[in-house]
C-alpha cells in the first residue's frame, strides 16, 4: 500500500521500522550481494502481513518473532511487482505489536528506473555507489522505503580487501579474513531508508583540512581515492568554515560527523545521505559551481536529513533551504550577497513558465530547478518579512523542534505563525507571503 501519491506502490502505512540491522557481503566483480536484514518493525494497525520494498533481490529465508516467540512467516514476491515482498505473519497481530523480522536475501542488485533517472545501487568501474533518493534503498536492502519511516541503523559490510566500504555513522574495521574485509557502521540517529547508503571504492579516509578544533564543527572526513586526494583536499578546504556558517545560521550540526565521499567517476549531480555527501571527481575543479554544491549538500544535513518531509510534494522544504544555503555561503565568503544571488535566481525564474506550484509541483517536476530556486526565494521572502533576527531564531527553532522528525509545509506555516507576532508581523501578512510563493504558480514580485 502506498503512502505517497508521488511514489505509488512504495512504502506502506501498515508498519514502521525502528531499527535496521544489515549484514551484507558484496562480491564486486560479480556485482552480487548476499545478506541478512533484521528489521525491528512496529505494526501501525492490526495486520496478518507486511509489505516491504525490495527491488529485484530474492528473499531466501524469512523468520520473525514477537517477544521471543517465533511466528510462522512466509515471504513471497507478489507478481508482477519485482520490487515488493509480502511477508505473511502467520496470524493477525494487533496494532502496536513489535515484530523482529529477519530476512536472508541475495541477488544481483540493479538500480530502479524512474522519471528522475536511475536510482539506488549502481556499479562503478571499480566499486559501488548508492543514490537513494527518493526510493533507491530497496535496491540493496529490504525496507519500508518511505521518508516518514525513520530507523537507526547498524550496517556491516564485507567486501574485497583493498576497498573501503562505507555506510552511515561511525565505522570501524572489524575483521580481515583472507582477501575479505568486514566493516561495521553504526548510526544512532533515526533517518529514512533513502538516506542510508553503501559506498565502496578504493578509497582512503582522511581528516579533512580546516576541521580541527573550530567551535561547533564536528569531525570532517574526506573519503577519496589516493590519486584524487590532493585535489579533494584543496576543493574541500572551506568545509570547516562552511560548517561554522551553517551552525551559526541553523543551530548545532545534527549528526556525529560528516564525510565528503568522492566517487572515482564523473557524477552528474552530488547527493546527500545521513552524515555524508557523495561527489564526483568533476566536483573537485575548484569552480563556484562545484563550491555551491559542496555547500548545498552540507546544508542538507539540517534540511532533509535531520528535518525530513513526509511526502515528496514538500521537497522544497529540503531544496529551498539547501539552495538558500548556497547564497548564504556566497555571502559569507564575500563573493556575493544573498540579495544579489536571489535576484539572479528570480530573474531566471521570470524567463520560465509559471505553471508550477511549489508545495505540490507534481512528481514529474519535483526535482525541477524551479523547485530549488523558488524554494530558496521563499526562504528569502520569509526572512525579509520577519527580519534577520527573528527569522534566524525561527529557523533554528524549526530545526531544534523537528530534528529527526517528519515535517510538511503546513507545519512550517504553523511554526512561523508562532514567530510572526514576536517579529511584529501580522499573521495575515505571513499567510499572504506563503500563499503567493508556495500555493500559486505566478511568480511574486522580488522580495527586496
Ligand atoms: Zn539538494
Amino acid at each position: 500500500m502506498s503512502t505517497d501519491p508521488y511514489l505509488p506502490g512504495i512504502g506502506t502505512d501498515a508498519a514502521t521500522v525502528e531499527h535496521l540491522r544489515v549484514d551484507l557481503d558484496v562480491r564486486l566483480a560479480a556485482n552480487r550481494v548476499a545478506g541478512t536484514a533484521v528489521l525491528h518493525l512496529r505494526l501501525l494497525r492490526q495486520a496478518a502481513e507486511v509489505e516491504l520494498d525490495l527491488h529485484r533481490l530474492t528473499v531466501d529465508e524469512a523468520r520473525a518473532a514477537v517477544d521471543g516467540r517465533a511466528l510462522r512467516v512466509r515471504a513471497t514476491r507478489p507478481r508482477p511487482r519485482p520490487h515488493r515482498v509480502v511477508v505473511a505473519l502467520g496470524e493477525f497481530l494487533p496494532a502496536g505489536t513489535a515484530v523482529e523480522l529477519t530476512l536472508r536475501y541475495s541477488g544481483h542488485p540493479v538500480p530502479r528506473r524512474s522519471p528522475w533517472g536511475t536510482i539506488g545501487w549502481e556499479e562503478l568501474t571499480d566499486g559501488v555507489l548508492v543514490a537513494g533518493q527518493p526510493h533507491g534503498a530497496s535496491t540493496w536492502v529490504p525496507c519500508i522505503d518511505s521518508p516518514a519511516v525513520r530507523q537507526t541503523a547498524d550496517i556491516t559490510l564485507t567486501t574485497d580487501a583493498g576497498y573501503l566500504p562505507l555506510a552511515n555513522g561511525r565505522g570501524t574495521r572489524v575483521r580481515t579474513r583472507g582477501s575479505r574485509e568486514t566493516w561495521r557502521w553504526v548510526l544512532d540517529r533515526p533517518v529514512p531508508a533513502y538516506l542510508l547508503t553503501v559506498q565502496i571504492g578504493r578509497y582512503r579516509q582522511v581528516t579533512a583540512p580546516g576541521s580541527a578544533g573550530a567551535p561547533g564543527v564536528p569531525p570532517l572526513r574526506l573519503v577519496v581515492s589516493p590519486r584524487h586526494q590532493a585535489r579533494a583536499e584543496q576543493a574541500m578546504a572551506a568545509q570547516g568554515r562552511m560548517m561554522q556558517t551553517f551552525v551559526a545560521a541553523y543551530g548545532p550540526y545534527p549528526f556525529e560527523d560528516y564525510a565528503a565521499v568522492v566517487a572515482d567517476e564523473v557524477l552528474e549531480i552530488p547527493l546527500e545521505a545521513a552524515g555524508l555527501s557523495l561527489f564526483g571527481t568533476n566536483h573537485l575543479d575548484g569552480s563556484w559551481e562545484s563550491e555551491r554544491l559542496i555547500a548545498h549538500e552540507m546544508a542538507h544535513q539540517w534540511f532533509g536529513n535531520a528535518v525530513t518531509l513526509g511526502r515528496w510534494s514538500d521537497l522544497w522544504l529540503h531544496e529551498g533551504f539547501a539552495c538558500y544555503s548556497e547564497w548564504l555561503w556566497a555571502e559569507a565568503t564575500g563573493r556575493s550577497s544573498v540579495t544579489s544571488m536571489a535576484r539572479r535566481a528570480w530573474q531566471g525564474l521570470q524567463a520560465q513558465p509559471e505553471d508550477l506550484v511549489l508545495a505540490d509541483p507534481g512528481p514529474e517536476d519535483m526535482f525541477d530547478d524551479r523547485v530549488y530556486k523558488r524554494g530558496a526565494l521563499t526562504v528569502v521572502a520569509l526572512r525579509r518579512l520577519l527580519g534577520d533576527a527573528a527569522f534566524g531564531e525561527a529557523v533554528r527553532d524549526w530545526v531544534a523542534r523537528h530534528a529527526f522528525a517528519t515535517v510538511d509545509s503546513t507545519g512550517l506555516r504553523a511554526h512561523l505563525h508562532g514567530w510572526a507576532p514576536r517579529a511584529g508581523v501580522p499573521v495575515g501578512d505571513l499567510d499572504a507571503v506563503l500563499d503567493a510563493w508556495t500555493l500559486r504558480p505566478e511568480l511574486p514580485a522580488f522580495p527586496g
Side-chain angles (χ1 to χ4, degrees):
M1 181 170 305
S2 168
T3 53
D4 192 327
Y6 280 36
L7 285 181
I10 310 288
T12 175
D13 53 10
T16 191
V17 180
E18 293 170 350
H19 181 69
L20 177 63
R21 198 169 83 229
V22 191
D23 191 336
L24 195 66
D25 187 286
V26 183
R27 300 274 167 182
L28 288 169
N31 186 43
R32 186 179 160 75
V33 300
T36 302
V38 181
L39 287 79
H40 293 252
L41 288 163
R42 189 168 297 276
L43 299 184
L44 298 177
R45 55 170 196 243
Q46 176 182 283
E49 61 178 39
V50 178
E51 273 198 49
L52 302 173
D53 299 293
L54 182 64
H55 182 68
R56 304 253 170 212
L57 300 172
T58 306
V59 172
D60 303 310
E61 185 194 359
R63 283 178 285 127
V66 172
D67 290 333
R69 176 176 68 88
L71 303 176
R72 294 153 66 92
V73 296
R74 207 161 58 89
T76 52
R77 191 181 286 292
R79 289 174 190 277
R81 294 185 292 159
H83 56 274
R84 296 285 271 184
V85 168
V86 178
V87 180
L89 298 168
E91 59 192 88
F92 268 103
L93 295 170
T97 306
V99 181
E100 188 178 308
L101 177 63
T102 303
L103 298 173
R104 216 159 46 71
Y105 67 104
S106 60
H108 298 278
V110 288
R112 297 184 80 122
R113 291 206 191 93
S114 83
W116 320 285
T118 51
I119 316 283
W121 184 280
E122 204 175 309
E123 272 185 276
L124 301 173
T125 310
D126 196 13
V128 165
L129 69 76
V130 170
Q133 193 183 51
H135 59 350
S138 53
T139 61
W140 67 277
V141 64
C143 61
I144 298 177
D145 209 353
S146 83
V149 172
R150 300 178 155 270
Q151 55 250 288
T152 50
D154 182 336
I155 301 171
T156 299
L157 298 168
T158 299
T159 193
D160 303 332
Y163 290 82
L164 175 62
L166 268 108
N168 311 86
R170 298 268 187 198
T172 44
R173 180 162 41 203
V174 292
R175 62 175 178 270
T176 302
R177 248 179 229 153
S179 63
R180 309 285 289 165
E181 278 188 353
T182 300
W183 290 69
R184 182 177 173 208
W185 295 81
V186 176
L187 179 72
D188 60 6
R189 316 280 150 101
V191 298
Y194 87 87
L195 291 170
L196 299 176
T197 197
V198 173
Q199 310 289 336
I200 303 174
R202 293 186 184 274
Y203 301 135
R204 179 186 288 170
Q205 185 165 216
V206 295
T207 303
S211 66
V217 175
L220 299 177
R221 292 178 286 124
L222 264 182
V223 179
V224 59
S225 78
R227 66 199 179 102
H228 297 301
Q229 184 182 338
R231 226 153 57 89
E233 283 178 339
Q234 205 167 11
M236 306 276 179
Q239 282 197 122
R241 277 196 299 136
M242 242 174 226
M243 188 65 85
Q244 282 178 285
T245 302
F246 296 150
V247 166
Y250 307 138
Y253 177 72
F255 292 88
E256 277 184 282
D257 65 358
Y258 182 69
V261 182
V262 183
D264 216 358
E265 313 232 338
V266 169
L267 297 186
E268 199 185 330
I269 46 164
L271 193 72
E272 75 274 17
L276 65 91
S277 298
L278 174 67
F279 300 93
T281 49
N282 48 314
H283 299 119
L284 304 180
D285 60 7
S287 67
W288 166 249
E289 184 59 20
S290 296
E291 190 176 332
R292 76 166 182 92
L293 292 171
I294 292 166
H296 178 110
E297 300 311 322
M298 184 182 279
H300 271 311
Q301 299 301 327
W302 284 264
F303 304 101
N305 301 4
V307 178
T308 313
L309 52 78
R311 283 176 182 254
W312 290 103
S313 50
D314 276 324
L315 191 64
W316 80 274
L317 293 174
H318 298 181
E319 300 305 344
F321 278 99
C323 183
Y324 168 76
S325 302
E326 300 170 19
W327 303 347
L328 215 52
W329 175 243
E331 187 166 273
T333 57
R335 176 190 176 84
S336 185
S337 66
V338 170
T339 305
S340 314
M341 298 295 283
R343 190 175 293 281
R344 209 170 307 153
W346 183 82
Q347 284 162 349
L349 287 177
Q350 258 198 322
Q352 295 200 45
E354 296 180 21
D355 58 0
L356 180 141
V357 172
L358 186 61
D360 191 11
E364 299 286 329
D365 281 339
M366 77 177 185
F367 294 110
D368 190 291
D369 191 54
R370 287 174 293 169
V371 171
Y372 291 58
K373 296 296 193 299
R374 188 167 174 143
L377 280 159
T378 305
V379 175
V380 169
L382 291 169
R383 180 174 159 175
R384 287 284 174 280
L385 182 72
L386 296 174
D388 290 354
F391 170 81
E393 282 188 70
V395 170
R396 285 187 289 280
D397 189 38
W398 170 249
V399 174
R401 283 175 194 270
H402 300 287
F404 305 106
T406 301
V407 294
D408 58 22
S409 294
T410 316
L412 179 64
R413 184 183 289 250
H415 175 78
L416 294 174
H417 274 186
W419 278 91
R422 279 184 251 190
V425 171
V427 165
D429 292 5
L430 180 68
D431 281 337
V433 165
L434 282 168
D435 289 352
W437 281 97
T438 70
L439 299 182
R440 291 192 211 115
E442 301 81 20
L443 182 66
F446 181 72

